[in-house]
Amino acid sequence: SQQGEEDPQALSIQEGENATMNCSYKTSINNLQWYRQNSGRGLVHLILIRSNEREKHSGRLRVTLDTSKKSSSLLITASRAADTASYFCATDDGGATNKLIFGTGTLLAVQP
Amino acid sequence: DGGITQSPKYLFRKEGQNVTLSCEQNLNHDAMYWYRQDPGQGLRLIYYSQIVNDFQKGDIAEGYSVSREKKESFPLTVTSAQKNPTAFYLCASKRGEAGANVLTFGAGSRLTVL
């Protein structure tokens, strides 16, 4: 089952601009994670935000979480061509099954 | 270097054939997962295993089988019962982070049915 829905599905920006991606989910969560996938490759974990946190930073990444709206956003500042990839949110309900449920992804293209 | 190795990277199969995708990890992770990814879509969970000799069905287990005889290995067999097996398959394992499930992924295996 798909828990998260990313918005937009695709985003094209110029180098140096900021990129914002949004994720909405349906059920209660323990934490929400963002992953990056380069074309034809596996996913790489970027950042995790817990349900009791509202904002988190890691380098050029800023993640926010609004549990009342069941939504999260990922902001990439000062984007680079190397940031071109698909970005996925994944929710963890903290249950015994230890399963993450992934969204449908946002394809980001950063033009040099 | 620790990581997850998936093989083969590309695989072609004729209809009616079973194929097995390999997944090996040297991260000493207990839990391992198989996901399927179709073009423009997210990841869907096929099977997962939290300990050796135990595994559970995910959301789309029909037509697939797995085994977990060793901690390091979690092979996935795509059987002839899987009607639409052409996809990108991703194996992952879980590292603990204060109770959070953070996954480490392999590079993937792309299966094409001819």
Side-chain angles (χ1 to χ4, degrees):
Chain A
S1 60
Q2 299 280 347
Q3 159 87 304
E5 294 290 334
E6 274 97 334
D7 169 53
Q9 289 187 326
L11 179 62
S12 181
I13 59 174
Q14 297 294 126
E15 260 191 330
E17 293 180 341
N18 295 343
T20 299
M21 290 158 262
N22 303 296
C23 169
S24 60
Y25 58 92
K26 299 174 184 174
T27 61
S28 297
I29 62 171
N30 175 274
N31 65 76
L32 184 144
Q33 302 172 33
W34 285 90
Y35 288 78
R36 165 194 169 126
Q37 183 183 34
N38 285 12
S39 180
R41 304 291 294 175
L43 280 70
V44 175
H45 179 256
L46 294 176
I47 193 166
L48 177 151
I49 186 166
R50 300 184 188 279
S51 60
N52 61 354
E53 297 175 311
R54 291 296 166 260
E55 186 172 313
K56 199 163 184 179
H57 297 255
S58 176
R60 292 185 296 113
L61 305 180
R62 173 180 169 247
V63 171
T64 62
L65 179 65
D66 187 335
T67 53
S68 67
K69 296 181 179 178
K70 291 187 168 58
S71 68
S72 174
S73 68
L74 172 67
L75 168 67
I76 303 175
T77 61
S79 63
R80 306 164 181 168
D83 294 328
T84 294
S86 291
Y87 293 82
F88 294 88
C89 67
T91 54
D92 177 4
D93 65 3
T97 56
N98 286 323
K99 291 192 298 182
L100 286 184
I101 300 177
F102 285 82
T104 51
T106 292
L107 176 59
L108 172 65
V110 181
Q111 310 298 332
Chain B
D1 288 335
I4 299 180
T5 301
Q6 288 187 241
S7 63
K9 187 169 178 63
Y10 300 97
L11 184 60
F12 298 90
R13 187 193 95 173
K14 293 181 181 179
E15 284 193 22
Q17 287 182 334
N18 292 354
V19 293
T20 297
L21 307 181
S22 170
C23 178
E24 302 279 333
Q25 56 102 355
N26 61 3
L27 299 166
N28 199 34
H29 288 172
D30 288 314
M32 297 185 73
Y33 305 80
W34 274 106
Y35 287 90
R36 170 181 172 140
Q37 186 177 31
D38 292 286
Q41 297 190 30
L43 279 65
R44 292 184 290 168
L45 183 63
I46 305 172
Y47 267 98
Y48 62 105
S49 168
Q50 299 191 63
I51 57 172
V52 175
N53 293 322
D54 187 48
F55 48 83
Q56 289 79 39
K57 293 182 179 179
D59 300 315
I60 56 165
E62 185 176 352
Y64 300 97
S65 66
V66 293
S67 63
R68 187 83 188 278
E69 297 176 1
K70 298 186 301 181
K71 187 176 185 178
E72 300 79 17
S73 179
F74 191 40
L76 173 73
T77 296
V78 185
T79 75
S80 57
Q82 170 51 235
K83 297 307 178 187
N84 185 21
T86 294
F88 190 52
Y89 291 88
L90 287 159
C91 178
S93 66
K94 177 202 132 179
R95 65 177 167 92
E97 183 180 303
N101 294 319
V102 175
L103 298 184
T104 300
F105 282 84
S109 292
R110 186 168 300 280
L111 172 63
T112 302
V113 174
L114 303 174

